[in-house]
Amino acid sequence: MSAVSEVAAGAPPVARATPRAASIRRARRRRLRRAVWNVVGLGVFLVLVFPVFWMISTAFKPDTEIHSSSPTWFSIHPTLQHFRDAMARPYFWEVVKNSLIVVGAVVALSMVVAFLAAVALAKYRFTGNKLFVVLVIGILMLPQAGLVIPLYVVLAKYHLTNHLMGLVLTHLVILLPFAVWTLRGFIMGIPKELEEAAMVDGSSRLGAFTRILLPLVAPGLVATSVFVFITSWNEYIFANVILTDQANQTLTVWLSYFYGTSRATDWGGLMAASTLTAIPVVIFFLLVQRKIAFGLTAGAVKA
Amino acid sequence: MTVAAEAIAHRSRRRPRLKRIAHASVPYLLILPVIVVITAILGYPLYKLVTLSFQQYGLAELIQKKGVWIGFDNFSSVLHDEVFWRVLLRTVIFTAANVGLTIGLGTLIAFLLVRVSTWVRILLTAGLVLVWSMPAVVAVQVWVWMTNFENGILNYVLTELHVGDYTGHDWYGSTFSKLGMVTLLIVWGAIPFVAITVYAGLAQVPRELVEAAEIDGAGPGRVFRDVTFPVLKPIFLILTSLSIIWDFGVFTQPYLLIGSSAVDTSNYLMGVYVFIEGYSHSDFGRGAAISLLMLLIVAVLSIFYVRRMVKMGEAQ
């Protein structure tokens, strides 16, 4: 505020001599400026999206085009061969199944456990809630590489390495803080009056909860579980360490071992496999991005 | 009649206290499962991490499940190791470069989003979200393919644009170039979060203020410094601290892009260093000591962010 009044004091009033001609000139200049920005915007778009485009484009190209010294942007003879090859690779279907099992278990467990804690944080004032928030956000910040050794040693002690269960527990603990924090935001967004009105109408607290709170928070639950799904699906370091047998691995670990030596690399197959790994994530992410993006900056940005 | 009235009166007198006790215990019961899971799966390993760091704990000890107590030997070995300090310095420089580029470019794109036509904005936002959604491991594979020396598109495009003859150029020849490629990959992946968040923040800048300042003759620089930036400041603070925390501990991109066979003391970043020293070399005691040092550094870096979030949680 003070900054503006300072500006106001320092600047002379703008002259308005020939309003008509000036406004036309100004409009034309504005249109030109916008056109220039549009071109810049399109350029940025092309550069940003290029790697994704190149992945998909390569996945559909026959090998002759991939290894050609003058690359084509789009293939004239698109092929599905690389997708067939990638799926026919050893363990593909096993690792897809493993990924789905891990993700399913992590989503189910984390949503139930996190929802309860989120209700506590959003709806109750209690001694120690600040400490709990510090704990939750503190864990969110721990670098995963620093946790590999202790988790591995402890899981090994209980014979949980090379078991999907070991990975489920690991993902659960790294994703719970995120889920609690995000769900808390969603629950806080529900007006207290709605719940109170239901209770005045004779509903019990539990009744108000199931009939009013739950339906309202359902979109938040869906968004959070999708984000948990994505993170668990993408997770690499723990899956790589905990699951040692090839048949026990998850899709991202399987993909990381796809790459051979440069000359022997099946680029088409690698890009087809990459596309297959990314597809579910991209679809889900597009669905929930708006709802989730601001969880980590909650309060600073009003979404 | 009177009996019933008395009973009601009695109940209403008794119930509040019981209710209060029951009510007070509800939030603790609700957070109990989270506490149990975190304590069991994370608390115990963290305790283990501390004890491991004071032990000689290799493969033999892992099998026997019993380490040998050696006091501060692991820590003094790490702190007297030149490699640790070099990795720390490299990681700090790497983090500064990555955070600076991410925040800088992300902010520029956010400002671009304000200035373009609606259809370009929708297109660019869709592109940002698409990039954002790419899994790290997938992005690494695409990078490997695009930057490979034989028929990578990067060399082709640079040569075609007459930037120089890049035919057969190996981007993974020197440490600087390797980490440069990792930076490119990380910044590319991290820009969308910054751009979209800053753009959302820009929407909170009151238009009247900007217009008033412009009418009063303030240039774009002045408007940014005195009107826009003060509104965006909390967002920048949070984005920067989050980026520092993430980039300092980054593992997947450097480990996979440089390649598990090519990562060594000349190009380690902290995350990779902790992983190789502790896990791959099966020296869990020393690895635990390094992990603990790394966690302490990140904890110090996180204090600001955590305090900020707690404060905002209260304000809501």
Side-chain angles (χ1 to χ4, degrees), chain B residues 208-223:
Chain B
E208 310 87 65
L209 280 187
V210 177
E211 275 162 14
E214 275 170 354
I215 286 170
D216 291 341
R222 189 84 199 266
V223 170

Side-chain angles (χ1 to χ4, degrees), chain A residues 11 38 48 58 127 130 255 296, chain B residues 28 117 141 145 188 216 314:
Chain A
N38 282 351
L48 271 179
T58 307
T127 345
K130 223 183 198 177
L255 184 65
L296 290 174
Chain B
Y28 296 103
S117 307
Q141 304 295 24
W145 159 227
W188 175 75
D216 291 341
E314 278 172 352

